[in-house]
Amino acid sequence: MERGVCSRGVASRPKAHGGACCSRSGLGDAGALRPFRRLPSSSTTTRLHASIPPYGKDGDGSPGAHHHPHKDKKGHPMAVTSSAMASMEETRGHLSASVDEREGGLLQQERQSPSQQQHALRARYLSDGPDGTSWLEVEREAEPTRLRIQSDGRFELWRKDEQNRENLCCSGTVTLPEDLDLPLAFSFSVPSGQSAQEGCDAVTLSWGGRVTLVVHPTENHGDEHDTEWSRGLANGFVLEKYVSCEETEMAEIRIDMDSAGQWFGGAHFMNQLWPLNKVSWELGPFYPFDHGPTGLNTLVAPQWMTSSGLLVMMDPDTPCLHVGMNGPSLSNGKKTYRKWGTGVQNATKSILPNGVNEFGVATEFDGVLRLQARRSFVDENVYHTWNEWLPSAWRTPHDDSQDDERGQAEDGGGRTSEAGEDGGKDVRISVALCAFPDILESSKASLKSLPKPEKMPALHTLKDPIWTTWAKYKQWVSQRKVLKYASEIRDSGLDFSVMEIDDRWQITYGDLDFDPGKFPDPKGMVDELHAMGFKVTLWVMPFIEKKSAAYKEGLERDFFVKKVTSTSHPYEEKPGFFSWWNFPSVVALDVTNPEAVDWYVSRLRRLQDLYGIDGFKFDAGEPCFLPRDPITQRPLAYPSEYTHLWVKEVAGKFQGGVCEVRTGHKTQDVGLMTRIGDRFSTWDVRNGLQSIIPTVLTSGLLGYPFALPDIIGGNAYFGRNPDTELFVRWTQVNALMPAMQFSIAPWHIGQEAQAMVSQALAVRKELIGDMLRLAEDASLRLDPIVRPMWWLDPQDPATFEIYDQFALGDDVIVAPVVVKGQRQREVYLTAGTWEDLAEPGRIIQGRQWLTVDAPLAKLPCYRRVART
């Protein structure tokens, strides 16, 4: 267990603020630290040890020695391992002085000329805080941000505004082991030849040699370390925490939610509440799932932005990453047990995460975002595919020899740990905390740091709806049905761009050729569809069943993910068959094997050359489907690497056209549409209609602007079919999204539905010029096409909790009805002058709520009126 913040009852939680908080001005050098909540009695805060010993012979064990967790080959203290700190010189200057010498002053150290750099840090030691603690203050030389870290691990991030007032962006905790004896010797260091007073590149803090925290400016971190995730960030700090694996199974950093305001980003959820302050997201594994055990769905990215201007990002390649937010404590003392399942298992499964008001037996929520790097995924409360997997950094010597025999000696787990000079290992977590004036600036900073696509999806797929056979025919698709369906679409007068032929078009899963019994003339069918004006795509996934010809060929060439034969024979391998949402069991393409990837891609190219196929719907790719403890040609460094390679190396070969994927990991630079997960045909936010807007908005915040909402009306699973009202309202929600997709035909719902669908599509046509311009901009800067309401006015607290409106660019507000039976709704217009799209010329002043009529045929929509 690690020391952290205390639990709080729901009733005691203050309302989250709408913007920057805790302002103060006229501070002296020392300032006045905002009081922290006190820790529980078992975690009593104490003063820093009376002194940090003066210089002595490094590591000599004398009372004057300065303690660090590792030493280099010359015996000089190393705050973290040599590989992690390669950017620092071997010799470090010790910061040491008695409390009397340091009281209210700068840390003293060896007098050497510092290297002056634009993004240097300055460090200051302060004591006698309001609650009797001491702390280290780290300031940005070029930016108005500072980080305060207390001797008990608590921290605060502050930013000065234009009026020189300091605003709190967040507070949190660098959690320490429960048995850590406070007070203790608390040491600091900076790189050799640099000065805490005059400027340094990093500051290292150590708690008794057991926990180490290295603080970097965000700009320097990306350049000096072998990582890209923080490159391009600004206005903040990167916190790298190291804990010896002998001390704990994990390294954790917690951030207090209330101190940062309203939270957004992070992931797609099955229950997509907006903002995230409304959820109680139980701690669990953080990688893409299909209906994950704690509610995670197909798209995740560890980056969050808040109404205080805070941006939180972390190393996305952390192998055993666990995340939770506002976790529950059950009044009956029991713990929840969550298990991942597939297919029909999900029909009776809880749709998570729960809202804070939906726990019948929960009395308290911890109120923090918990970020954990662990040694493994072992968890008694959450079961999933990767529970038994270990990054290669933690493998046994016998495991390593097996890797060598398979040509897998490359370290697949270097992000989890660092090997020390003594051969030990540290669990490592790396988190960036950046402070901006508002949430719009923090969101843009996040997107700026991400890679941009070289191509963008074909514009006609954004202009006109995609049509798919899935919800209409499920697995019972055929050439005759496809052509009949296409003719009905053409004759209906509704617009179309792509005909996507879904499940069971193949002979068997993985063969990637048409079933001749169902599709006797696939080339003729595709030619006929082209003549009607359709592009044609096929549903594909990285799965192969045993009776397919592809399985026999790929098995001989070692192209599939494998697993061990049994627990009694842990070093024997066999094909890694697993269950998924369909039958029979399948194996997965080994995307770490370049030859396997080329083989798969060449077979897709063959479909294009032979039949004229225009593109593909790339389904699955989430690592949750792989066999337990998967064996690949090159060890996976973390579960999401499978997703990254599936999207980047397979689907990415076809970017810039009519293709789509449904998952991603560090794939913002792949020019494809990213579909949200399969929706249920229901009204509610638990994967129904009300989840569409917050899910698509989250896609944009994570750097996936070309979001494809799922099928209009849902997938009609479990015998649930949309009625006229649900189908029409769903169409209106999607009408001004980046793309639209039909499957259930409007005319099968009824003539009334078809007429109202046509009206919604007419609104899209009216604004299609705006949408295409926004799409072009999105390909350059990743700016979302559809945006949260706070994007238009980030200083307006009324915008932060609006989950059922969105902005199309900066000049159109869309307010569809998402509640069954509703014929009026409240609409909020941000600052400025607006007009109803249906009543041009009637001017409405912004920054106010309106009650508007919304009969079933109407999509409330407002355009900004330009100033004359």
Side-chain angles (χ1 to χ4, degrees):
M1 297 293 294
E2 292 194 276
R3 188 185 307 274
V5 299
C6 60
S7 297
R8 297 169 295 164
V10 178
S12 68
R13 295 187 64 197
K15 181 176 177 63
H17 62 80
C21 72
C22 300
S23 298
R24 56 183 180 150
S25 58
L27 295 173
D29 289 339
L33 181 67
R34 169 183 176 270
F36 285 97
R37 285 190 308 278
R38 291 207 177 264
L39 294 171
S41 57
S42 62
S43 304
T44 303
T45 301
T46 58
R47 294 176 62 87
L48 190 67
H49 193 277
S51 67
I52 294 179
Y55 310 127
K57 198 164 184 179
D58 298 330
D60 63 4
S62 65
H66 189 167
H67 299 288
H68 291 261
H70 300 291
K71 302 178 181 66
D72 64 20
K73 295 178 180 179
K74 297 181 180 180
H76 293 138
M78 296 293 287
V80 292
T81 61
S82 57
S83 58
M85 299 298 293
S87 62
M88 296 186 179
E89 299 179 33
E90 286 186 334
T91 305
R92 296 182 182 276
H94 294 292
L95 302 175
S96 59
S98 67
V99 171
D100 291 339
E101 290 174 321
R102 289 180 288 167
E103 193 70 42
L106 294 168
L107 292 169
Q108 303 298 310
Q109 69 165 17
E110 297 176 75
R111 292 297 181 181
Q112 299 183 23
S113 299
S115 57
Q116 299 299 324
Q117 295 194 15
Q118 180 182 1
H119 303 299
L121 304 177
R122 297 181 187 275
R124 175 203 308 269
Y125 176 80
L126 301 166
S127 63
D128 288 337
D131 52 1
T133 57
S134 302
W135 62 90
L136 181 72
E137 181 176 275
V138 183
E139 293 184 316
R140 295 291 307 270
E141 182 174 307
E143 297 289 344
T145 55
R146 65 171 171 169
L147 180 70
R148 287 185 164 193
I149 305 171
Q150 295 199 187
S151 55
D152 60 4
R154 293 179 292 175
F155 65 81
E156 292 181 333
L157 179 68
W158 293 83
R159 176 183 172 83
K160 288 184 180 179
D161 62 20
E162 294 178 353
Q163 286 74 42
N164 206 35
R165 296 174 304 184
E166 283 206 304
N167 299 299
L168 177 69
C169 275
C170 76
S171 61
T173 307
V174 178
T175 50
L176 305 175
E178 286 279 0
D179 63 347
L180 197 60
D181 185 19
L182 296 174
L184 53 87
F186 181 28
S187 62
F188 313 88
S189 64
V190 299
S192 178
Q194 298 185 13
S195 163
Q197 179 178 3
E198 299 178 29
C200 55
D201 297 332
V203 177
T204 299
L205 303 85
S206 178
W207 283 267
R210 297 174 62 184
V211 177
T212 300
L213 183 73
V214 186
V215 180
H216 307 269
T218 47
E219 294 84 345
N220 285 358
H221 180 258
D223 294 332
E224 296 181 2
H225 293 69
D226 186 20
T227 180
E228 295 181 355
W229 71 271
S230 63
R231 192 164 295 151
L233 292 178
N235 291 13
F237 307 88
V238 174
L239 280 59
E240 290 188 294
K241 178 185 177 183
Y242 297 81
V243 184
S244 170
C245 66
E246 298 177 357
E247 297 287 344
T248 182
E249 291 291 314
M250 67 176 179
E252 180 183 69
I253 291 177
R254 301 184 184 187
I255 302 172
D256 180 80
M257 292 178 62
D258 286 345
S259 68
Q262 306 282 24
W263 288 73
F264 306 89
H268 285 182
F269 291 102
M270 294 296 294
N271 187 23
Q272 194 81 47
L273 295 173
W274 180 279
L276 291 173
N277 304 63
K278 296 179 180 180
V279 310
S280 179
W281 171 17
E282 299 165 39
L283 185 66
F286 190 81
Y287 61 80
F289 276 95
D290 179 12
H291 201 157
T294 62
L296 285 179
N297 214 19
T298 54
L299 187 66
V300 305
Q303 54 200 67
W304 295 267
M305 54 290 303
T306 80
S307 57
S308 72
L310 174 69
L311 172 62
V312 179
M313 296 184 71
M314 65 177 302
D315 187 345
D317 296 347
T318 304
C320 298
L321 177 60
H322 285 67
V323 180
M325 177 177 275
N326 202 24
S329 296
L330 304 186
S331 58
N332 57 15
K334 296 182 179 180
K335 293 185 177 181
T336 57
Y337 175 73
R338 305 300 185 187
K339 182 178 181 179
W340 182 72
T342 60
V344 295
Q345 298 175 30
N346 291 330
T348 57
K349 185 178 174 183
S350 297
I351 299 176
L352 300 174
N354 282 315
V356 293
N357 298 320
E358 297 169 346
F359 277 89
V361 293
T363 57
E364 293 185 335
F365 301 91
D366 63 23
V368 297
L369 171 67
R370 299 181 67 179
L371 306 173
Q372 294 181 351
R374 297 190 183 182
R375 286 191 60 194
S376 73
F377 280 114
V378 173
D379 192 326
E380 63 180 9
N381 300 316
V382 183
Y383 176 81
H384 57 104
T385 304
W386 293 74
N387 280 103
E388 301 173 11
W389 175 80
L390 284 176
S392 61
W394 301 114
R395 293 175 184 262
T396 65
H398 189 282
D399 292 331
D400 292 338
S401 67
Q402 293 293 309
D403 287 347
D404 291 340
E405 292 174 10
R406 293 195 298 263
Q408 299 176 357
E410 179 180 340
D411 180 11
R415 297 278 186 173
T416 294
S417 64
E418 299 287 346
E421 294 292 334
D422 58 0
K425 293 173 182 174
D426 290 335
V427 184
R428 168 185 174 270
I429 188 169
S430 187
V431 178
L433 301 176
C434 303
F436 293 91
D438 55 50
I439 189 171
L440 178 57
E441 293 301 317
S442 64
S443 300
K444 288 186 173 181
S446 171
L447 296 172
K448 182 180 178 181
S449 72
L450 300 173
K452 310 303 185 290
E454 296 180 0
K455 300 180 181 179
M456 62 180 294
L459 289 178
H460 65 277
T461 61
L462 307 178
K463 179 175 177 290
D464 296 318
I466 298 166
W467 295 75
T468 173
T469 64
W470 172 243
K472 182 175 176 61
Y473 296 116
K474 296 296 193 295
Q475 298 175 348
W476 297 278
V477 67
S478 67
Q479 179 174 327
R480 180 186 64 82
K481 290 178 179 178
V482 170
L483 291 175
K484 179 177 181 294
Y485 186 37
S487 296
E488 290 176 355
I489 296 167
R490 180 193 57 189
D491 295 343
S492 73
L494 298 179
D495 297 319
F496 55 86
S497 60
V498 172
M499 172 62 74
E500 188 266 320
I501 303 173
D502 214 278
D503 198 1
R504 283 301 184 188
W505 61 271
Q506 302 179 67
I507 302 171
T508 52
Y509 289 127
D511 272 332
L512 297 183
D513 206 351
F514 284 94
D515 182 338
K518 300 171 74 174
F519 295 87
D521 183 13
K523 179 66 166 62
M525 176 191 67
V526 173
D527 288 346
E528 190 169 346
L529 290 170
H530 283 165
M532 292 184 193
F534 288 94
K535 297 290 184 180
V536 182
T537 62
L538 297 174
W539 174 82
V540 296
M541 75 298 191
F543 303 156
I544 297 93
E545 64 176 288
K546 189 172 185 178
K547 67 179 182 180
S548 67
Y551 175 75
K552 181 179 180 181
E553 180 183 354
L555 183 66
E556 294 174 350
R557 302 173 68 179
D558 204 22
F559 284 170
F560 306 133
V561 178
K562 295 179 286 188
K563 61 183 178 182
V564 297
T565 301
S566 66
T567 55
S568 60
H569 297 83
Y571 309 117
E572 297 179 7
E573 299 172 0
K574 66 178 181 179
F577 282 95
F578 55 88
S579 299
W580 58 308
W581 66 82
N582 272 342
F583 296 98
S585 296
V586 290
V587 293
L589 180 72
D590 185 352
V591 292
T592 73
N593 182 342
E595 292 185 8
V597 168
D598 290 344
W599 171 73
Y600 190 92
V601 169
S602 68
R603 295 164 72 236
L604 296 179
R605 298 286 191 201
R606 172 185 172 274
L607 286 167
Q608 293 185 309
D609 296 339
L610 198 58
Y611 304 121
I613 300 300
D614 298 291
F616 303 95
K617 173 184 176 179
F618 292 94
D619 211 356
E622 300 87 357
C624 58
F625 289 110
L626 298 182
R628 289 188 299 173
D629 199 9
I631 300 169
T632 50
Q633 185 193 73
R634 176 177 59 78
L636 291 166
Y638 45 91
S640 300
E641 187 180 15
Y642 189 90
T643 300
H644 176 80
L645 294 172
W646 167 246
V647 175
K648 186 86 170 179
E649 301 301 327
V650 179
K653 296 295 194 300
F654 302 89
Q655 62 180 307
V658 295
C659 297
E660 63 181 82
V661 294
R662 79 167 191 184
T663 189
H665 174 78
K666 300 195 309 182
T667 50
Q668 292 91 345
D669 59 341
V670 181
L672 299 169
M673 289 179 291
T674 303
R675 179 173 64 89
I676 69 175
D678 292 12
R679 301 290 111 171
F680 302 152
S681 298
T682 60
W683 284 89
D684 62 9
V685 72
R686 293 180 179 271
N687 208 50
L689 174 61
Q690 291 172 18
S691 71
I692 299 291
I693 293 175
T695 303
V696 172
L697 292 178
T698 299
S699 293
L701 295 178
L702 300 184
Y704 297 90
F706 301 109
L708 173 60
D710 195 42
I711 295 167
I712 290 170
N715 286 262
Y717 290 142
F718 316 124
R720 297 172 182 167
N721 292 288
D723 60 13
T724 295
E725 183 182 12
L726 179 59
F727 193 87
V728 170
R729 292 304 194 192
W730 206 304
T731 305
Q732 291 169 350
V733 167
N734 283 29
L736 295 175
M737 292 288 183
M740 300 180 70
Q741 186 176 53
F742 287 102
S743 186
I744 300 171
W747 51 92
H748 289 165
I749 302 294
Q751 292 183 351
E752 181 185 23
Q754 182 175 350
M756 293 182 183
V757 165
S758 295
Q759 291 180 48
L761 291 176
V763 176
R764 186 178 185 87
K765 285 184 178 180
E766 184 175 349
L767 295 173
I768 196 62
D770 300 67
M771 299 182 72
L772 296 181
R773 283 191 294 273
L774 290 167
E776 295 277 5
D777 291 343
S779 67
L780 299 175
R781 294 188 296 272
L782 291 183
D783 285 350
I785 297 172
V786 294
R787 303 169 181 179
M789 290 297 293
W790 47 255
W791 196 280
L792 305 187
D793 190 353
Q795 301 295 336
D796 185 351
T799 61
F800 294 127
E801 294 197 18
I802 300 176
Y803 69 92
D804 58 354
Q805 296 181 203
F806 63 89
L808 177 63
D810 290 336
D811 298 324
V812 175
I813 290 176
V814 187
V817 171
V818 294
V819 178
K820 182 178 176 64
Q822 193 175 70
R823 297 298 183 267
Q824 275 190 339
R825 67 153 295 165
E826 300 295 312
V827 175
Y828 188 75
L829 300 181
T830 55
T833 305
W834 302 86
E835 63 179 5
D836 189 329
L837 206 64
E839 301 179 57
R842 187 170 72 87
I843 302 302
I844 308 170
Q845 292 302 317
R847 279 232 171 183
Q848 66 168 318
W849 287 95
L850 309 173
T851 300
V852 302
D853 291 330
L856 186 57
K858 183 174 182 180
L859 169 59
C861 192
Y862 301 83
R863 184 190 286 276
R864 190 187 300 274
V865 177
R867 294 179 179 178
T868 57

